């Protein structure tokens, strides 16, 4: 039986559940639909279908009904709602242009195929797991596979009839699609070099594993107000974009207690971006899962459920402030006081993706490489698995920057592995453009998108490598197909938000609004929007060349692009 808001009880392995409803004063005012205030009545269609049936329960219907009867048999509340709890989104119907994205009804945008997301917590993969991912792509996904900036892999062209067989293949090697989407605790980002990097502050792997064991697929936490994004990393590179997660644990060294984690909450982008904030608390490794449970419990119980566009944790954190949030976490959920602790140090490097050849603390090496904008395919992933195995490795990692890493390579095998990867156009020493350009799914498959992104990113890389072959500054160019910021446009050096724009002939064409000078790290901030600064897709290479040329001509010694963009006048940025 599904756990409902009224019946959820504490479990030995989870954070304290809500106090019983009878213990609270229940008022007639519906407020924001906060369960912790006694407001259990669903205030929108999403909250209603979640109350009607837990999203995790849809798997049984997929396996016993929909996979046998086909797409047309799927209940609409499952199709566009609960199926996300198992990583499934309907795919955009072919031939629908971006101008119709916000006009057509959902059923008019739906193809009879799905995107399927495989969750890869901490980005950790074995050779066998990567081969299984590759085989699913080739057998069931028309060879599609994209590396995401959440360390996942996404397929397209998935038929509902094939989903049970896909689950069987993935789960046989320890992978799953459980809560890869939906109003759930989604994939847990982790440092892709956890446990092996020479400069690591602390290995967060045990915490990632414990969070997964206790909270993923747990019906006490499968009905959240919205998605819940998390990250754990002990890398001094700050390699999991902790500033834009709902909760993040960042490696620090306490002057008295030693290595542990600094606690951040309330980050997120989309149309109302907010950077996460420190609670000023130091968390030891063995308490990370407890603190995670307390924060996700607050979100479940006090998160806003009335309006979807205000249902992320960032809005509650902004309204409460850090002092109240920490007090509620300690008093109502943890039942103990957290230790005050230090902030993270400045990132130890300009790039956070681990691309290149790096020595491990055991004397072996890890090799990070860059495909173009995360676009790979099943056959290529299979060849990467073969290369890793042939060079003595059984461990690979995905990163939060749409990259991959092969671990545990002996010194005498490095040169051969690098040559093999480069022969597959997987650059170990990429240009800044290959290394720093990221793109979301875009109009090719996404129902929310307005413009194309992946191919635009791929061609932009090629163009910039030809036009500015000696450009050697770290630079991020993030391309998004709509305002939702899946590709983190607000925190890129050059962020491109897809929209329809008017070209010189007065025609509406695909293009982008430009954000300039965003950044992550301890100087994190959102990019600057210059009034009226938009570019057409066709004019994008010319614009990027122009603004980077001006940057190189005008910059001060050591000045990063983001710093220059913050002080440049609008004419220089246009």
């Amino acid at each position: 039986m599904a756990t409902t808001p009224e019946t959820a009880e504490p479990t030995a392995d989870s954070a304290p559940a809500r106090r019983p409803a009878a213990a609270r004063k229940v008022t007639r005012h519906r407020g924001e639909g906060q369960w912790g205030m006694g407001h259990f009545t669903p205030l929108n269609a999403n909250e209603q279908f979640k109350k009607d049936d837990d999203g995790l329960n849809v798997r049984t219907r997929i396996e016993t009904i929909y996979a046998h009867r086909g797409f047309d048999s799927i209940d609409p509340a499952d199709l566009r709602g609960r199926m996300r709890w198992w990583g499934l989104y309907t795919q955009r119907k072919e031939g629908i242009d971006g101008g119709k994205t916000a006009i057509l009804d959902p059923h008019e945008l739906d193809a009879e195929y799905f995107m399927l997301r495989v969750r890869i917590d901490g980005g950790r993969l074995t050779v066998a797991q990567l081969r299984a991912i590759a085989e699913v792509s080739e057998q069931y996904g028309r060879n599609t596979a994209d590396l995401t900036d959440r360390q996942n892999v996404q397929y397209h062209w998935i038929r509902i009839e094939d989903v049970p067989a896909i689950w069987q293949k993935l789960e046989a090697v320890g992978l799953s699609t459980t809560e890869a989407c939906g109003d759930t605790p989604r994939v847990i980002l982790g440092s892709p070099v956890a446990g092996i990097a020479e400069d690591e502050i602390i290995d967060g792997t045990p915490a990632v594993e414990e969070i997964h064991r206790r909270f993923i697929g747990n019906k006490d936490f499968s009905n959240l107000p919205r998605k819940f994004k998390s990250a754990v990393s002990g890398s001094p590179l700050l390699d999991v974009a902790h500033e834009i997660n709902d909760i993040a644990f960042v490696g620090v060294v306490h002057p008295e207690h030693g290595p542990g984690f600094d606690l951040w909450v309330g980050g997120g982008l989309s149309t109302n971006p907010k950077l996460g904030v420190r609670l000023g608390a130091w968390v030891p490794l063995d308490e990370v899962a407890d603190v995670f449970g307390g924060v996700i419990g607050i979100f479940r119980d006090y998160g806003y459920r009335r309006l979807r566009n205000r249902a992320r944790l960032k809005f509650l954190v902004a309204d409460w402030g850090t002092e109240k949030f920490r007090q509620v976490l300690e008093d109502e959920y943890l039942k103990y006081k957290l230790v005050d602790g230090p902030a993270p140090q400045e990132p130890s490097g300009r790039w956070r993706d681990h691309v290149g050849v790096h020595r491990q603390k055991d004397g072996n090496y890890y090799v990070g490489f860059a495909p173009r904008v995360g676009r790979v395919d099943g056959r290529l992933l299979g060849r990467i698995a073969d290369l890793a195995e042939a060079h003595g490795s059984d461990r690979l990692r995905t990163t939060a920057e749409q990259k991959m890493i092969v671990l545990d390579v002996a010194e005498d095998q490095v040169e051969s592995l690098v040559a093999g990867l480069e022969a597959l156009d997987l650059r170990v020493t990429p240009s800044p453009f290959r290394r720093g350009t990221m793109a979301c799914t875009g109009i090719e498959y996404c129902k929310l998108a307005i413009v194309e992104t992946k191919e635009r990113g791929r061609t932009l890389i090629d163009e910039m490598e030809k036009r500015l072959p000696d450009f050697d500054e770290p630079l991020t160019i993030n391309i998004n197909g709509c305002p939702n910021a899946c590709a983190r446009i607000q925190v890129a050096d050059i962020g491109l938000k897809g929209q329809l724009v008017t070209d010189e002939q007065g025609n509406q064409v695909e293009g982008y609004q430009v954000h300039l000078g965003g950044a992550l790290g301890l100087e994190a901030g959102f990019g600057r929007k210059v009034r009226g600064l938009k570019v057409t897709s066709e004019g994008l290479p010319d614009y990027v060349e122009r603004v980077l040329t001006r940057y190189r001509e005008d910059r001060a010694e050591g000045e990063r692009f983001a710093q220059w963009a913050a002080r440049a006048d609008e004419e220089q940025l246009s």
Side-chain angles (χ1 to χ4, degrees), residues 114-297:
F114 294 88
M115 179 206 83
L116 178 62
R117 183 176 295 159
V118 183
R119 69 177 294 153
I120 306 173
D121 293 279
R124 297 171 298 162
L125 290 170
T126 65
V127 166
Q129 288 173 330
L130 185 58
R131 281 209 178 100
I133 289 172
E135 290 168 5
V136 168
S137 169
E138 292 192 75
Q139 293 176 20
Y140 303 110
R142 299 190 187 180
N143 202 38
T144 58
D146 286 335
L147 303 176
T148 78
D149 62 5
R150 300 293 301 176
Q151 296 184 289
N152 295 316
V153 170
Q154 287 183 181
Y155 301 122
H156 302 284
W157 298 109
I158 299 298
R159 302 187 318 139
I160 192 64
E161 291 88 347
D162 296 326
V163 171
I166 292 171
W167 282 336
Q168 185 176 29
K169 182 175 285 287
L170 293 174
E171 291 168 3
V173 294
L175 293 170
S176 84
T177 68
T178 309
E179 295 180 331
C181 313
D183 296 351
T184 65
R186 299 195 184 180
V187 67
I188 309 150
L189 295 189
S191 174
V193 293
I196 68 163
E198 286 190 308
D199 61 351
E200 186 173 50
I201 299 166
I202 186 171
D203 180 3
T205 303
V208 173
E209 292 174 343
E210 185 66 2
I211 291 169
H212 188 279
R213 185 184 73 83
R214 288 165 59 167
F215 300 101
I216 306 310
N218 181 342
K219 289 186 177 180
D220 286 348
F221 301 95
S222 60
N223 181 354
L224 303 177
R226 283 287 303 276
K227 56 191 169 186
F228 187 79
K229 296 184 175 182
S230 56
V232 180
S233 175
S235 171
L237 286 176
L238 306 182
D239 56 0
V240 291
H242 65 275
E243 308 92 333
I244 53 175
N245 281 270
D246 293 281
I247 184 172
F249 297 88
V250 185
V252 293
V253 178
H254 192 284
E256 297 176 14
H257 302 289
F261 297 92
D262 187 41
L263 177 59
W264 292 59
V265 297
L269 295 179
S270 193
T271 53
N272 289 285
K274 295 182 185 297
L275 293 175
V277 294
R278 297 183 59 236
L279 291 191
W282 176 86
V283 182
L285 180 63
D286 60 2
E287 292 180 15
V288 168
D290 293 333
V291 173
F292 177 96
V295 172
I296 199 173

Side-chain angles (χ1 to χ4, degrees), residues 40-60:
F40 299 117
T41 302
L43 299 180
N44 57 55
N46 287 276
E47 289 302 307
Q48 185 64 58
F49 80 66
K50 290 189 291 182
K51 182 176 182 180
D52 290 343
D53 189 31
D54 192 290
L56 291 172
N57 293 337
V58 76
R59 175 164 178 157
T60 299

